[in-house]
Amino acid sequence: IRFKKENIWIEITTLLIEGENDSDKDIREMARFIVKETGDETPWHLSAFYPEYKMKEYSSTTLQTLQRAYQIAKSEGLKYVYLGNVPSDNNTYCPNCSALLIERDKYEVITDKITNTKCPYCQTTIKGVWR
């Protein structure tokens, strides 16, 4: 499957379910797939599962599981990894100099320092869809 298209922005969300798709192997394979098929600048949102309706026999995804998945994703080269459905730092940092570029409070943008698609500190191009 090839996802690469010109002028199309892709973000990927994965619902991590304890005991189903949260092993180091599973996460590493998913991260490698994203890097290979859509690129290392594709944002990956790792979301916590909460048991509802027909899946009440499963446990909620722990913050520790999400943090472990985050570390694996970063180690596989993904530049923009975010945790969802849990309180966490979902800010965007420059992949080159680590400067805070977009500060968020839940779904609200507090500060956006990206200037003409670049980090204002090191001039690294930050791909994405910007206002």
Side-chain angles (χ1 to χ4, degrees):
I1 299 173
R2 286 278 171 199
F3 293 105
K4 293 178 182 178
K5 302 273 185 200
E6 290 296 319
N7 299 317
I8 293 177
W9 183 248
I10 296 172
E11 296 197 23
I12 297 172
T13 301
T14 301
L15 185 65
L16 289 181
I17 302 173
E18 303 270 348
E20 289 296 317
N21 66 345
D22 69 322
S23 72
D24 288 3
K25 179 181 180 282
D26 289 340
I27 295 162
R28 195 168 307 285
E29 287 176 359
M30 287 185 274
R32 287 177 179 167
F33 176 85
I34 293 168
V35 169
K36 180 181 177 192
E37 298 296 332
T38 65
D40 62 358
E41 293 180 322
T42 303
W44 191 18
H45 303 268
L46 299 165
S47 293
F49 167 81
Y50 294 96
E52 293 291 331
Y53 191 49
K54 292 187 177 184
M55 295 186 69
K56 291 183 179 182
E57 69 276 11
Y58 290 92
S59 298
S60 296
T61 308
T62 65
L63 180 57
Q64 292 78 15
T65 294
L66 291 174
Q67 290 170 332
R68 179 175 45 82
Y70 175 93
Q71 291 303 322
I72 292 169
K74 296 296 273 187
S75 75
E76 289 299 327
L78 285 166
K79 295 178 180 176
Y80 307 105
V81 182
Y82 304 95
L83 304 183
N85 295 339
V86 294
S88 65
D89 174 356
N90 278 318
N91 298 325
T92 298
Y93 298 90
C94 177
N96 184 53
C97 72
S98 301
L100 175 62
L101 298 177
I102 300 176
E103 181 182 9
R104 296 180 182 87
D105 181 17
K106 295 183 182 141
Y107 299 107
E108 184 179 348
V109 173
I110 305 300
T111 305
D112 181 351
K113 296 180 182 176
I114 296 173
T115 307
N116 297 321
T117 72
K118 296 191 182 296
C119 170
Y121 306 102
C122 70
Q123 300 306 304
T124 296
T125 298
I126 309 298
K127 292 187 179 177
V129 177
W130 312 111
R131 293 176 256 154

